[in-house]
């Protein structure tokens, strides 16, 4: 990521960490309303610790950065005065925990549903704290994500629009996960490429959509414009999910093991491209998946499956599709915000710098 973003990322990090600071729980009325005195901070920590640990373990933070850039891009498009722009900027930073908390909650639950044993190079939250604690912490964090809306210096009408955007994208996120789980559970089901893209636009793209929509709304964009940016952002999120699928089969995702998508039986885009173009060899690939699922990441079948996918050209074709989707979406943003918009150019810089 370009160094020019470091000042913004520092402010974003400050906002996110302050929103998950355990000292907030000493002022429990702000988060839970009136509670009996016997509900001590230890109980609050038991609720929030798994989420706090994962948030503090790192992450690219590109989604909250994207939120801020969208807010500033719309302020520039609307020719806001310096004072108006500064207020937009302050509220955008304040709202950044919203998207990062939703993202973190989804990771906690995703690791449980995928039976993944690690996240960001450490044991997954459910392994460290137990499945029951992790599920509860992740669920709480989805709700806690909305708390910055209450603190923002904005109208009640805008707060309602932000709540509506959040709940819409949360429903879409869970729909996408439901599609993915369906394909995991039913091994014989081979979704189409179109179904896969629809799934990742919901499961992964919805977080980019929420970032873009929140940024535009806090800068006073109308629902039509915010909705258009959300649709384009979903395509960017899908593009990066495709690239993550490819990285899983090549370099290996940071903090994860190369090829763990094979073990999990994921119907990723390289797999679907392979199935479409090499139907006669798909039974061989399926046998590798079955062996990997039974014997784990150390099974030789993992590398055999990766080799089959790579040698067929399916991995490289998927990578090209992901990059094209990101680049085309950046061009759409330029048309929405204006070709010369300073912050729209930064959005393009952000996403192009993230392509490996």
């Amino acid at each position: 990521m370009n160094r020019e973003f470091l000042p913004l990322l520092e402010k974003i990090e400050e906002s996110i960490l302050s929103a998950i600071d355990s000292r907030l729980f000493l002022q429990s009325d702000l988060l839970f309303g009136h509670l009996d005195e016997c509900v001590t901070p230890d109980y609050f920590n038991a609720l929030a610790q798994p989420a706090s640990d994962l948030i503090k373990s790192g992450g690219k933070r590109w989604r909250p950065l994207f939120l801020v850039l969208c807010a500033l891009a719309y302020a520039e498009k609307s020719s806001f005065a310096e004072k108006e722009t500064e207020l937009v900027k302050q509220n955008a930073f304040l709202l950044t925990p919203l998207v990062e908390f939703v993202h973190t909650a989804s990771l906690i639950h995703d690791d449980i549903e995928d039976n993944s044993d690690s996240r960001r190079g450490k044991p997954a939250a459910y392994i460290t704290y137990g499945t029951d604690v992790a599920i509860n912490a992740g669920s709480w964090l989805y709700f806690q994500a909305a708390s910055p809306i209450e603190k923002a210096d904005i109208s009640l009408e805008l707060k309602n629009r932000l709540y509506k955007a959040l709940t819409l994208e949360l429903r879409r996120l869970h729909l996408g996960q439901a599609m993915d789980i369906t394909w995991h559970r039913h091994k014989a089901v081979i979704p189409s490429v179109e179904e896969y893209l629809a799934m990742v636009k919901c499961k992964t793209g919805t977080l980019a959509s929420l970032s873009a929509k929140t940024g535009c709304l806090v800068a006073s964009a109308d629902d039509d414009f915010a909705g258009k940016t959300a649709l384009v952002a979903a395509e960017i999120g899908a593009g990066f999910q495709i690239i993550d699928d490819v990285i899983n089969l090549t370099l290996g995702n940071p903090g994860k093991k190369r090829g763990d998508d094979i073990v999990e039986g994921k119907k990723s885009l390289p797999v679907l491209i392979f199935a479409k173009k090499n139907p006669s060899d798909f039974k061989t690939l399926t046998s590798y998946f079955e062996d990997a699922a039974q014997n784990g990441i150390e099974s030789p079948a993992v590398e055999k499956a990766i080799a089959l996918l790579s040698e067929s050209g399916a991995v490289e074709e998927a990578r090209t599709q992901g990059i094209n989707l990101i680049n085309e979406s950046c061009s759409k943003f330029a048309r929405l915000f204006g070709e010369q918009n300073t912050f729209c150019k930064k959005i393009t810089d952000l996403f192009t710098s993230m392509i490996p």
Side-chain angles (χ1 to χ4, degrees), residues 48-262:
Q49 195 66 48
S52 177
D53 284 353
L54 185 52
I55 288 167
K56 292 176 181 178
S57 70
K60 299 184 185 75
R61 308 292 197 238
W62 68 261
R63 296 168 185 84
L65 176 58
F66 182 36
L67 185 161
V68 173
L69 292 176
C70 283
L72 293 174
Y74 191 80
E76 182 176 311
K77 173 183 170 63
S78 303
S79 301
F80 281 6
E82 184 176 348
K83 186 176 180 180
E84 291 176 296
T85 299
E86 186 58 32
L87 181 58
V88 165
K89 191 175 182 180
Q90 288 175 10
N91 284 325
F93 280 124
L94 182 64
L95 289 168
T96 54
L98 187 153
V99 290
E100 195 65 22
F101 285 5
V102 170
H103 174 52
T104 303
S106 73
L107 296 181
I108 293 172
H109 285 174
D110 200 45
D111 285 341
I112 296 169
E113 291 164 351
D114 290 345
N115 200 30
S116 298
D117 60 4
S118 63
R119 173 68 63 178
R120 294 175 180 164
K122 297 180 180 179
Y126 77 97
I127 291 177
T128 300
Y129 292 99
T131 302
D132 51 355
V133 173
I135 289 174
N136 196 48
S139 298
W140 166 76
L141 197 58
Y142 280 126
F143 296 103
Q144 180 65 11
S147 62
I149 297 174
E150 292 299 323
K151 299 178 184 177
D153 184 18
I154 53 179
S155 68
L156 286 175
E157 189 230 342
L158 180 51
K159 288 183 179 183
N160 287 336
R161 292 167 70 201
L162 289 168
Y163 274 120
K164 183 178 179 181
L166 172 61
T167 53
L168 171 67
E169 299 301 342
L170 283 175
R171 289 192 292 269
R172 287 172 57 83
L173 186 153
H174 285 80
L175 172 60
Q177 184 72 340
M179 294 172 72
D180 200 16
I181 290 171
T182 297
W183 301 337
H184 288 190
R185 290 174 65 87
H186 302 282
K187 305 298 183 184
V189 174
I190 308 298
S192 66
V193 170
E194 291 75 20
E195 286 176 301
Y196 170 85
L197 290 173
M199 181 274 288
V200 293
K201 284 179 185 178
C202 287
K203 179 179 174 178
T204 308
T206 193
L207 290 164
S209 292
L210 180 59
S211 301
K213 190 181 290 185
T214 300
C216 289
L217 288 175
V218 81
S220 302
D222 60 30
D223 290 334
D224 180 64
F225 186 89
K228 288 177 180 176
T229 62
L231 290 174
V232 177
E235 294 177 351
I236 289 176
F240 279 111
Q241 180 60 60
I242 293 168
I243 291 174
D244 276 353
D245 292 345
V246 169
I247 291 173
N248 185 274
L249 301 173
T250 52
L251 302 173
N253 301 105
K256 308 276 278 185
K257 294 179 180 178
R258 167 180 151 113
D260 65 352
D261 281 357
I262 303 293

Side-chain angles (χ1 to χ4, degrees), residues 35-56:
L35 295 172
D36 292 338
E37 290 184 5
C38 60
V39 184
T40 65
D42 288 341
Y43 293 115
F44 300 139
N45 290 332
L47 173 65
Q49 195 66 48
S52 177
D53 284 353
L54 185 52
I55 288 167
K56 292 176 181 178

